[in-house]
Amino acid sequence: MCERSSAGAVSGLLVLLGALLTGCQSPSAGVAEDGRLGGSATGTTAAAVSPTATRPSGYGAVFLAVKECSSFGTTSFTEVPCGGERAAARVVARHDGAVRDGPRCPATTDFVLHISEQRPASDEDGDGAVPRGYACMRNLQPPHPGDPGGGGGPRTIVGDCVYGSGDGQVRETACDGTGEQDPEYKVTRAVEKRAGCPASTALYVRLGGDRPVGCARPL
């Protein structure tokens, strides 16, 4: 279920409630398992957004649909034409409901926008509701923290690096050393079970999906 629009219809003022979306995720944390650190890949960079502002016609029937673009701002985000100078990120996937209940964003997603549920007096399809959802976003220009080794994004993937943050936990950081923390391990493989990791594995990282175990070697 997505919001409908027409000329002069409802659009989206994307209100930033969390950290500014520079693309860097809140690093994922993990716990010690069998004497080895285990990193979780459940953390996401996200902002809550409310579809409340007026949008010109021609942006598509669904608010922040796939291939549509948003601007960047210090306190808010708006849907803008992808060819315009204000365009900063493109929607690569769009789903209804909450992130925890829906499909995962693509592996190289830079950040996630959460669309908050609204119940206005009237809307385009007449049901009086704009349902909750989320948009998986990819920056139009570098940097791309969701890329392997980028040090951010909503998912930890093969090619990403992590460091031990204490108390048996690990967090993601940029592999090239440009992050606040130097990388200590690199995820080299994703497997179904730990037994599939090579002998050089020093760290197991929780990735989720069909191959939930990340095999990481020390750097």
Side-chain angles (χ1 to χ4, degrees):
M1 294 170 21
C2 297
E3 175 186 7
R4 303 290 181 183
S5 68
S6 60
V10 178
S11 176
L13 175 62
L14 314 187
V15 181
L16 179 65
L17 298 182
L20 299 181
L21 298 186
T22 59
C24 296
Q25 78 174 58
S26 299
S28 302
V31 297
E33 296 180 353
D34 297 337
R36 295 185 181 182
L37 294 175
S40 170
T42 58
T44 60
T45 297
V49 300
S50 298
T52 56
T54 300
R55 173 178 61 187
S57 61
Y59 284 61
V62 177
F63 173 63
L64 278 182
V66 174
K67 295 185 179 181
E68 290 181 346
C69 294
S70 73
S71 67
F72 276 167
T74 57
T75 59
S76 66
F77 297 77
T78 56
E79 184 178 306
V80 297
C82 289
E85 62 181 12
R86 296 180 60 207
R90 188 186 305 272
V91 181
V92 294
R94 174 75 156 83
H95 304 290
D96 297 330
V99 171
R100 65 178 179 273
D101 302 322
R104 306 177 75 203
C105 283
T108 56
T109 297
D110 286 329
F111 63 93
V112 177
L113 289 179
H114 293 288
I115 313 299
S116 62
E117 184 176 12
Q118 299 291 314
R119 296 192 177 277
S122 63
D123 64 352
E124 180 65 19
D125 61 11
D127 67 359
V130 177
R132 179 174 57 175
Y134 58 99
C136 309
M137 309 296 295
R138 174 84 173 170
N139 295 332
L140 294 179
Q141 301 293 333
H144 293 291
D147 282 351
R155 294 179 55 182
T156 298
I157 59 178
V158 173
D160 280 340
C161 294
V162 297
Y163 67 94
S165 59
D167 297 328
Q169 297 185 344
V170 294
R171 296 184 183 277
E172 190 176 332
T173 188
C175 288
D176 62 5
T178 58
E180 294 183 1
Q181 299 290 333
D182 292 333
E184 297 177 353
Y185 306 90
K186 184 173 185 177
V187 180
T188 59
R189 187 179 302 179
V191 297
E192 294 182 5
K193 299 180 180 180
R194 289 188 181 186
C197 288
S200 59
T201 299
L203 176 80
Y204 299 113
V205 182
R206 300 191 196 102
L207 304 181
D210 296 335
R211 297 186 176 186
V213 179
C215 314
R217 61 173 176 79
L219 294 174

